[in-house]
Amino acid sequence: MGTKFGNVHVKSDDLNEITSALREIASARVKEGTPKHDLTGFESIVQRARQLENVFYIGEWGNGWISILNDCFGWGKAESFGEVLSGMISSPVFTVSCFDDDVLEMNVYRNGEEVTGHVWCSGYVRADYGLDEKEADISVLSRLLGHEHTATLISILDTEDREKAVEEMESVMGVPLRIHSDWFGEMGDDPFIRNYVKYDFNQDSRG
């Protein structure tokens, strides 16, 4: 099996607005199902998974981007979460996810809607997964990331090398994209992790 990851990034310096939105999302989840105690087996696993959804790792990069990681983010989950989050804050949301090294997807959301997106995959994978063609609007990306990066962005969209696309987008944004909070345990004392702060909204979302 190949690499899997998904993460969410907000073009903003307003950490309070973002954490308030995350707290609201977590609160709604908690109200959907009151936590139970003394569970065993499958029920315990399900409850733990629900709790993990409300634990976020937030990194401020000092360049106008705030990153949000979560152990449950993956292809599909990061996108749906980013779409919801964008409807709760005043800033655009950028998501990136990879599935088994076969599919790489990046999207931009604003006001609860997808503004543009791009999928990198082979024709064989596209047919096998039943994926539609999805090509990003370069004008939207240029406005978001800076017109000085337009040529680089065009090159990124044109490449068929998914790993290269991630690396070059990381360079443009100045933000780690090939990352997942579930990997932190294997990264030891890597100073890179120190830039992320853990927010557990399970407790303070219960009111």
Short mmCIF file of all heavy atoms in Angstrom, two decimals, residues 35-72:
data_model
loop_
_atom_site.label_atom_id
_atom_site.label_comp_id
_atom_site.label_asym_id
_atom_site.label_seq_id
_atom_site.Cartn_x
_atom_site.Cartn_y
_atom_site.Cartn_z
N PRO A 35 -20.84 10.81 24.94
CA PRO A 35 -19.83 9.78 25.22
C PRO A 35 -20.30 8.81 26.30
O PRO A 35 -20.93 9.19 27.28
CB PRO A 35 -18.64 10.62 25.72
CG PRO A 35 -18.86 11.98 25.13
CD PRO A 35 -20.34 12.17 25.12
N LYS A 36 -20.01 7.53 26.09
CA LYS A 36 -20.37 6.51 27.06
C LYS A 36 -19.11 5.92 27.68
O LYS A 36 -18.03 5.97 27.11
CB LYS A 36 -21.19 5.41 26.36
CG LYS A 36 -22.48 5.91 25.73
CD LYS A 36 -23.20 4.79 24.99
CE LYS A 36 -24.47 5.31 24.32
NZ LYS A 36 -25.17 4.24 23.57
N HIS A 37 -19.28 5.37 28.87
CA HIS A 37 -18.15 4.82 29.59
C HIS A 37 -18.28 3.29 29.72
O HIS A 37 -19.33 2.71 29.48
CB HIS A 37 -18.05 5.46 30.98
CG HIS A 37 -17.96 6.96 30.93
ND1 HIS A 37 -16.81 7.63 30.57
CD2 HIS A 37 -18.90 7.92 31.16
CE1 HIS A 37 -17.02 8.93 30.60
NE2 HIS A 37 -18.29 9.13 30.96
N ASP A 38 -17.15 2.68 30.08
CA ASP A 38 -17.12 1.23 30.31
C ASP A 38 -17.55 0.44 29.07
O ASP A 38 -18.27 -0.57 29.17
CB ASP A 38 -18.01 0.85 31.50
CG ASP A 38 -17.56 1.53 32.78
OD1 ASP A 38 -16.33 1.69 32.95
OD2 ASP A 38 -18.42 1.91 33.57
N LEU A 39 -17.14 0.91 27.91
CA LEU A 39 -17.45 0.21 26.67
C LEU A 39 -16.35 -0.80 26.34
O LEU A 39 -15.21 -0.64 26.73
CB LEU A 39 -17.58 1.20 25.51
CG LEU A 39 -18.70 2.23 25.62
CD1 LEU A 39 -18.66 3.16 24.41
CD2 LEU A 39 -20.06 1.57 25.72
N THR A 40 -16.71 -1.82 25.64
CA THR A 40 -15.73 -2.81 25.21
C THR A 40 -15.93 -3.10 23.73
O THR A 40 -16.96 -2.78 23.15
CB THR A 40 -15.88 -4.13 25.98
OG1 THR A 40 -17.21 -4.64 25.77
CG2 THR A 40 -15.64 -3.92 27.47
N GLY A 41 -14.93 -3.68 23.12
CA GLY A 41 -15.05 -4.13 21.74
C GLY A 41 -15.29 -3.02 20.74
O GLY A 41 -14.71 -1.93 20.83
N PHE A 42 -16.16 -3.32 19.79
CA PHE A 42 -16.40 -2.43 18.65
C PHE A 42 -16.89 -1.05 19.09
O PHE A 42 -16.49 -0.03 18.54
CB PHE A 42 -17.40 -3.07 17.69
CG PHE A 42 -17.71 -2.23 16.49
CD1 PHE A 42 -16.77 -2.07 15.47
CD2 PHE A 42 -18.93 -1.59 16.37
CE1 PHE A 42 -17.05 -1.29 14.37
CE2 PHE A 42 -19.21 -0.80 15.26
CZ PHE A 42 -18.27 -0.66 14.25
N GLU A 43 -17.78 -0.98 20.09
CA GLU A 43 -18.32 0.30 20.54
C GLU A 43 -17.21 1.21 21.05
O GLU A 43 -17.23 2.42 20.82
CB GLU A 43 -19.36 0.08 21.63
CG GLU A 43 -20.68 -0.49 21.12
CD GLU A 43 -21.70 -0.61 22.23
OE1 GLU A 43 -21.29 -0.86 23.38
OE2 GLU A 43 -22.90 -0.44 21.95
N SER A 44 -16.26 0.62 21.75
CA SER A 44 -15.14 1.39 22.28
C SER A 44 -14.28 1.94 21.15
O SER A 44 -13.82 3.09 21.21
CB SER A 44 -14.28 0.51 23.19
OG SER A 44 -13.18 1.24 23.70
N ILE A 45 -14.08 1.15 20.12
CA ILE A 45 -13.29 1.59 18.96
C ILE A 45 -13.98 2.75 18.25
O ILE A 45 -13.35 3.73 17.87
CB ILE A 45 -13.07 0.41 17.98
CG1 ILE A 45 -12.21 -0.66 18.63
CG2 ILE A 45 -12.44 0.91 16.68
CD1 ILE A 45 -12.07 -1.92 17.81
N VAL A 46 -15.29 2.64 18.09
CA VAL A 46 -16.06 3.69 17.43
C VAL A 46 -15.99 4.99 18.23
O VAL A 46 -15.81 6.08 17.66
CB VAL A 46 -17.52 3.26 17.24
CG1 VAL A 46 -18.37 4.43 16.76
CG2 VAL A 46 -17.61 2.11 16.24
N GLN A 47 -16.14 4.88 19.56
CA GLN A 47 -16.11 6.08 20.39
C GLN A 47 -14.74 6.74 20.31
O GLN A 47 -14.64 7.97 20.22
CB GLN A 47 -16.41 5.73 21.85
CG GLN A 47 -16.36 6.96 22.77
CD GLN A 47 -16.90 6.69 24.15
OE1 GLN A 47 -18.01 6.20 24.29
NE2 GLN A 47 -16.11 6.99 25.16
N ARG A 48 -13.68 5.94 20.32
CA ARG A 48 -12.33 6.50 20.23
C ARG A 48 -12.12 7.20 18.89
O ARG A 48 -11.52 8.28 18.83
CB ARG A 48 -11.30 5.36 20.40
CG ARG A 48 -9.84 5.80 20.23
CD ARG A 48 -9.48 6.93 21.17
NE ARG A 48 -8.11 7.35 21.01
CZ ARG A 48 -7.64 8.53 21.40
NH1 ARG A 48 -8.46 9.41 21.98
NH2 ARG A 48 -6.38 8.85 21.21
N ALA A 49 -12.64 6.63 17.82
CA ALA A 49 -12.52 7.24 16.50
C ALA A 49 -13.23 8.59 16.47
O ALA A 49 -12.74 9.56 15.88
CB ALA A 49 -13.08 6.31 15.43
N ARG A 50 -14.40 8.66 17.11
CA ARG A 50 -15.14 9.91 17.16
C ARG A 50 -14.38 10.97 17.94
O ARG A 50 -14.38 12.15 17.58
CB ARG A 50 -16.51 9.67 17.78
CG ARG A 50 -17.49 8.93 16.87
CD ARG A 50 -18.78 8.62 17.59
NE ARG A 50 -19.75 7.98 16.69
CZ ARG A 50 -20.87 7.41 17.10
NH1 ARG A 50 -21.17 7.40 18.41
NH2 ARG A 50 -21.70 6.86 16.23
N GLN A 51 -13.73 10.55 19.00
CA GLN A 51 -12.95 11.48 19.80
C GLN A 51 -11.75 12.01 19.01
O GLN A 51 -11.40 13.19 19.11
CB GLN A 51 -12.49 10.82 21.09
CG GLN A 51 -13.63 10.53 22.06
CD GLN A 51 -13.17 9.73 23.28
OE1 GLN A 51 -12.15 9.04 23.23
NE2 GLN A 51 -13.92 9.83 24.36
N LEU A 52 -11.12 11.14 18.22
CA LEU A 52 -9.97 11.56 17.43
C LEU A 52 -10.35 12.64 16.42
O LEU A 52 -9.53 13.49 16.07
CB LEU A 52 -9.36 10.36 16.69
CG LEU A 52 -8.54 9.38 17.53
CD1 LEU A 52 -8.11 8.18 16.68
CD2 LEU A 52 -7.31 10.07 18.12
N GLU A 53 -11.58 12.61 15.95
CA GLU A 53 -12.03 13.62 14.98
C GLU A 53 -11.99 15.02 15.57
O GLU A 53 -11.92 16.00 14.83
CB GLU A 53 -13.46 13.31 14.52
CG GLU A 53 -13.57 12.11 13.59
CD GLU A 53 -14.97 11.93 13.07
OE1 GLU A 53 -15.93 12.32 13.78
OE2 GLU A 53 -15.12 11.42 11.94
N ASN A 54 -12.03 15.13 16.90
CA ASN A 54 -12.06 16.43 17.56
C ASN A 54 -10.71 16.85 18.12
O ASN A 54 -10.62 17.81 18.88
CB ASN A 54 -13.09 16.42 18.70
CG ASN A 54 -14.51 16.24 18.18
OD1 ASN A 54 -14.82 16.64 17.07
ND2 ASN A 54 -15.36 15.62 18.99
N VAL A 55 -9.65 16.14 17.74
CA VAL A 55 -8.29 16.48 18.17
C VAL A 55 -7.53 16.99 16.96
O VAL A 55 -7.33 16.26 15.98
CB VAL A 55 -7.57 15.27 18.77
CG1 VAL A 55 -6.15 15.66 19.18
CG2 VAL A 55 -8.33 14.72 19.98
N PHE A 56 -7.12 18.25 17.02
CA PHE A 56 -6.45 18.87 15.89
C PHE A 56 -5.04 19.31 16.27
O PHE A 56 -4.75 19.61 17.43
CB PHE A 56 -7.24 20.10 15.41
CG PHE A 56 -8.64 19.78 14.96
CD1 PHE A 56 -9.71 19.88 15.85
CD2 PHE A 56 -8.89 19.37 13.66
CE1 PHE A 56 -11.00 19.58 15.45
CE2 PHE A 56 -10.19 19.08 13.25
CZ PHE A 56 -11.23 19.18 14.14
N TYR A 57 -4.18 19.35 15.28
CA TYR A 57 -2.82 19.85 15.44
C TYR A 57 -2.69 21.06 14.51
O TYR A 57 -2.79 20.92 13.29
CB TYR A 57 -1.80 18.77 15.10
CG TYR A 57 -1.91 17.56 15.99
CD1 TYR A 57 -2.85 16.57 15.72
CD2 TYR A 57 -1.10 17.42 17.11
CE1 TYR A 57 -2.97 15.46 16.54
CE2 TYR A 57 -1.23 16.32 17.95
CZ TYR A 57 -2.16 15.34 17.65
OH TYR A 57 -2.30 14.24 18.48
N ILE A 58 -2.49 22.22 15.10
CA ILE A 58 -2.50 23.46 14.34
C ILE A 58 -1.11 24.08 14.29
O ILE A 58 -0.45 24.23 15.33
CB ILE A 58 -3.50 24.46 14.94
CG1 ILE A 58 -4.91 23.84 14.94
CG2 ILE A 58 -3.49 25.77 14.17
CD1 ILE A 58 -5.97 24.73 15.56
N GLY A 59 -0.67 24.43 13.10
CA GLY A 59 0.64 25.05 12.92
C GLY A 59 0.51 26.42 12.28
O GLY A 59 -0.18 26.58 11.26
N GLU A 60 1.14 27.41 12.89
CA GLU A 60 1.17 28.77 12.31
C GLU A 60 2.53 28.96 11.65
O GLU A 60 3.57 28.80 12.29
CB GLU A 60 0.98 29.81 13.41
CG GLU A 60 -0.39 29.74 14.08
CD GLU A 60 -0.54 30.82 15.15
OE1 GLU A 60 -0.90 31.95 14.80
OE2 GLU A 60 -0.28 30.51 16.32
N TRP A 61 2.51 29.32 10.37
CA TRP A 61 3.75 29.37 9.61
C TRP A 61 4.31 30.76 9.40
O TRP A 61 5.34 30.94 8.76
CB TRP A 61 3.56 28.64 8.28
CG TRP A 61 3.27 27.20 8.52
CD1 TRP A 61 2.05 26.58 8.51
CD2 TRP A 61 4.21 26.19 8.92
NE1 TRP A 61 2.18 25.26 8.85
CE2 TRP A 61 3.49 24.99 9.11
CE3 TRP A 61 5.59 26.19 9.12
CZ2 TRP A 61 4.10 23.81 9.50
CZ3 TRP A 61 6.20 25.01 9.51
CH2 TRP A 61 5.46 23.84 9.68
N GLY A 62 3.63 31.79 9.90
CA GLY A 62 4.17 33.13 9.82
C GLY A 62 4.21 33.72 8.43
O GLY A 62 4.83 34.75 8.20
N ASN A 63 3.58 33.06 7.47
CA ASN A 63 3.56 33.57 6.10
C ASN A 63 2.13 33.70 5.59
O ASN A 63 1.88 33.65 4.40
CB ASN A 63 4.36 32.63 5.18
CG ASN A 63 3.83 31.20 5.21
OD1 ASN A 63 2.89 30.90 5.94
ND2 ASN A 63 4.44 30.33 4.42
N GLY A 64 1.20 33.82 6.55
CA GLY A 64 -0.20 33.96 6.17
C GLY A 64 -0.95 32.66 6.04
O GLY A 64 -2.10 32.65 5.60
N TRP A 65 -0.32 31.55 6.45
CA TRP A 65 -0.98 30.24 6.40
C TRP A 65 -1.04 29.63 7.78
O TRP A 65 -0.09 29.69 8.55
CB TRP A 65 -0.24 29.28 5.47
CG TRP A 65 -0.41 29.54 4.01
CD1 TRP A 65 0.48 30.15 3.18
CD2 TRP A 65 -1.55 29.22 3.21
NE1 TRP A 65 -0.03 30.22 1.91
CE2 TRP A 65 -1.27 29.66 1.89
CE3 TRP A 65 -2.78 28.61 3.47
CZ2 TRP A 65 -2.16 29.50 0.84
CZ3 TRP A 65 -3.67 28.45 2.42
CH2 TRP A 65 -3.37 28.89 1.12
N ILE A 66 -2.17 29.02 8.08
CA ILE A 66 -2.35 28.23 9.29
C ILE A 66 -2.76 26.83 8.86
O ILE A 66 -3.74 26.66 8.13
CB ILE A 66 -3.41 28.85 10.22
CG1 ILE A 66 -2.92 30.21 10.74
CG2 ILE A 66 -3.71 27.91 11.39
CD1 ILE A 66 -3.93 30.93 11.62
N SER A 67 -2.02 25.82 9.30
CA SER A 67 -2.27 24.43 8.91
C SER A 67 -3.07 23.71 9.98
O SER A 67 -2.86 23.93 11.18
CB SER A 67 -0.95 23.70 8.68
OG SER A 67 -0.24 24.27 7.61
N ILE A 68 -3.94 22.82 9.53
CA ILE A 68 -4.75 22.01 10.44
C ILE A 68 -4.57 20.55 10.08
O ILE A 68 -4.84 20.14 8.95
CB ILE A 68 -6.25 22.38 10.33
CG1 ILE A 68 -6.45 23.88 10.57
CG2 ILE A 68 -7.08 21.56 11.32
CD1 ILE A 68 -7.86 24.35 10.24
N LEU A 69 -4.10 19.76 11.05
CA LEU A 69 -3.93 18.33 10.85
C LEU A 69 -4.87 17.58 11.78
O LEU A 69 -5.24 18.08 12.84
CB LEU A 69 -2.49 17.89 11.14
CG LEU A 69 -1.35 18.64 10.43
CD1 LEU A 69 0.00 18.02 10.79
CD2 LEU A 69 -1.55 18.65 8.93
N ASN A 70 -5.24 16.37 11.37
CA ASN A 70 -6.11 15.53 12.18
C ASN A 70 -5.86 14.08 11.78
O ASN A 70 -5.68 13.79 10.59
CB ASN A 70 -7.58 15.91 11.94
CG ASN A 70 -8.56 15.06 12.72
OD1 ASN A 70 -8.90 13.96 12.31
ND2 ASN A 70 -9.02 15.57 13.85
N ASP A 71 -5.82 13.19 12.75
CA ASP A 71 -5.53 11.78 12.46
C ASP A 71 -6.52 11.16 11.48
O ASP A 71 -6.20 10.16 10.83
CB ASP A 71 -5.54 10.96 13.76
CG ASP A 71 -4.29 11.17 14.60
OD1 ASP A 71 -3.47 12.04 14.23
OD2 ASP A 71 -4.13 10.48 15.62
N CYS A 72 -7.71 11.72 11.39
CA CYS A 72 -8.76 11.15 10.53
C CYS A 72 -8.77 11.74 9.12
O CYS A 72 -9.51 11.26 8.25
CB CYS A 72 -10.13 11.33 11.17
SG CYS A 72 -10.30 10.56 12.79
#
